[in-house]
Amino acid sequence: QAMLWADSVRFGAQRPAERMASLSHQLFDALSDIPQLTLISTAPGPVITVLAPGQDSHRLAVFLSHGGIMARSGYFCAHHYLKEKRRLPPLLRFSLGLHTSDDDIAATHQSLARLLKGLS
């Protein structure tokens, strides 16, 4: 039943997979536009991971949460690979869902860009 429901849902003229692809591209492009960020993710997807060199990802996640933007920080079940092999600090990750709106992505871009500009 869930698959039948998911196939019947529309976001305007978009099916769920098309909507997620659209949101993924929007968020990837928005985050790519922030000069203080390094994208760890190499392509748009429903989960996009970034690094703000010189900034504490845990603090960034907390600051974003105060603005109503949910992001995770850390190593995301890949601790050994990210920390020991790639030698990366904790990262910041954004996850998209069908509940995500275009306004959510715009707010994420604006808040994160403003936050990082103020910290540099």
Side-chain angles (χ1 to χ4, degrees), residues 20-32 38-50 93-94 96:
M20 287 303 296
S22 173
L23 291 169
S24 297
H25 282 280
Q26 285 180 55
L27 182 60
F28 190 84
D29 291 346
L31 295 174
S32 296
T38 300
L39 271 72
I40 303 300
S41 298
T42 58
V47 176
I48 298 176
T49 305
V50 299
R93 180 177 77 185
F94 299 91
L96 297 167

Side-chain angles (χ1 to χ4, degrees), residues 21-95:
S22 173
L23 291 169
S24 297
H25 282 280
Q26 285 180 55
L27 182 60
F28 190 84
D29 291 346
L31 295 174
S32 296
D33 188 50
I34 301 173
Q36 298 91 340
L37 282 182
T38 300
L39 271 72
I40 303 300
S41 298
T42 58
V47 176
I48 298 176
T49 305
V50 299
L51 171 64
Q55 303 300 328
D56 182 337
S57 292
H58 300 304
R59 289 183 65 210
L60 291 176
V62 169
F63 290 142
L64 289 169
S65 74
H66 287 294
I69 297 165
M70 300 296 108
R72 290 218 38 219
S73 59
Y75 291 111
F76 323 115
C77 302
H79 190 273
H80 179 74
Y81 173 72
L82 293 172
K83 185 175 182 183
E84 304 300 328
K85 297 292 184 188
R86 299 241 356 236
R87 300 201 181 278
L88 293 169
L91 304 173
L92 190 63
R93 180 177 77 185
F94 299 91
S95 300

